[in-house]
Amino acid sequence: MTFSNTLNSDATVTPRTLTLAAGSGNITFSEAVGNAAPLSIFTIKSAGTVIANKTIAAASFNFTGNTLTLNNVLNTSGGVTITNSGLFTTAADGDITATGGFSQTGVGSNQLAGDITTTNNSISFATPIVLTGDIALASGNGAMTFSNTLNSDATATPRKLTLTAGNENITFSEAVGNAAPLVALTIQ
């Protein structure tokens, strides 16, 4: 599936639900999704490779598939769930605002250069994270859980990670920086 132009609801007062199922096929969004009139629930049920090159705006975003690449902003007034069997990637411009929380599960790993922000809701990652840029994760007063390793992309390019969880807990279940150290880990 290829979306070469914008994709919107018909009006901001009538956000629409969109569900895509591509099996093992690829999905490409060349232009913005929901920028003029946000979607309601945006679900990708199955896909090989999904690439979003421009902004996505929806009430919630749910991905189940192989690989997902966010090259631009993902804004939701609800939650974001990522269930990836391959690589989940955010570019430096791929910041995620998930007011209702962010959850990554599945067996695929993660390469992050974009920030993630929630509003008093949790941020959780089940699988290994490699930082490809300096990032900040902020959950207001939401817990953060890192169930696997967290590293820079190489020892020659150590990355900064800033975590803000208010009064909530931050849990690292595995090593941080053991394969490629961070230059700074700031918890505030």
Side-chain angles (χ1 to χ4, degrees):
M1 296 180 195
T2 301
F3 298 88
S4 299
N5 213 313
T6 57
L7 192 160
N8 288 287
S9 294
D10 49 348
T12 55
V13 295
T14 55
R16 305 297 181 179
T17 296
L18 176 63
T19 302
L20 301 176
S24 60
N26 300 332
I27 302 173
T28 301
F29 300 97
S30 299
E31 295 296 331
V33 176
N35 66 317
L39 303 181
S40 177
I41 301 168
F42 183 12
T43 301
I44 298 174
K45 291 176 64 172
S46 63
T49 297
V50 175
I51 299 172
N53 290 316
K54 301 291 182 179
T55 299
I56 296 174
S60 65
F61 179 80
N62 307 297
F63 171 82
T64 301
N66 187 32
T67 65
L68 172 63
T69 300
L70 298 176
N71 290 320
N72 213 305
V73 173
L74 169 60
N75 284 321
T76 69
S77 56
V80 171
T81 59
I82 307 294
T83 306
N84 54 311
S85 58
L87 186 63
F88 168 53
T89 303
T90 62
D93 290 335
D95 295 339
I96 298 171
T97 299
T99 302
F102 175 91
S103 173
Q104 179 276 327
T105 60
V107 296
S109 59
N110 309 280
Q111 289 186 349
L112 306 178
D115 300 337
I116 300 175
T117 304
T118 71
T119 303
N120 301 325
N121 283 293
S122 64
I123 296 174
S124 64
F125 284 89
T127 58
I129 299 171
V130 172
L131 302 180
T132 58
D134 298 338
I135 71 165
L137 305 180
S139 61
N141 277 315
M144 292 188 195
T145 304
F146 303 92
S147 298
N148 215 304
T149 57
L150 195 158
N151 287 285
S152 294
D153 48 348
T155 54
T157 54
R159 305 299 183 173
K160 295 178 186 175
L161 175 61
T162 302
L163 304 176
T164 305
N167 296 321
E168 288 296 327
N169 297 329
I170 299 173
T171 303
F172 298 98
S173 298
E174 298 294 336
V176 176
N178 65 319
L182 307 182
V183 70
L185 172 60
T186 303
I187 297 174
Q188 52 191 24

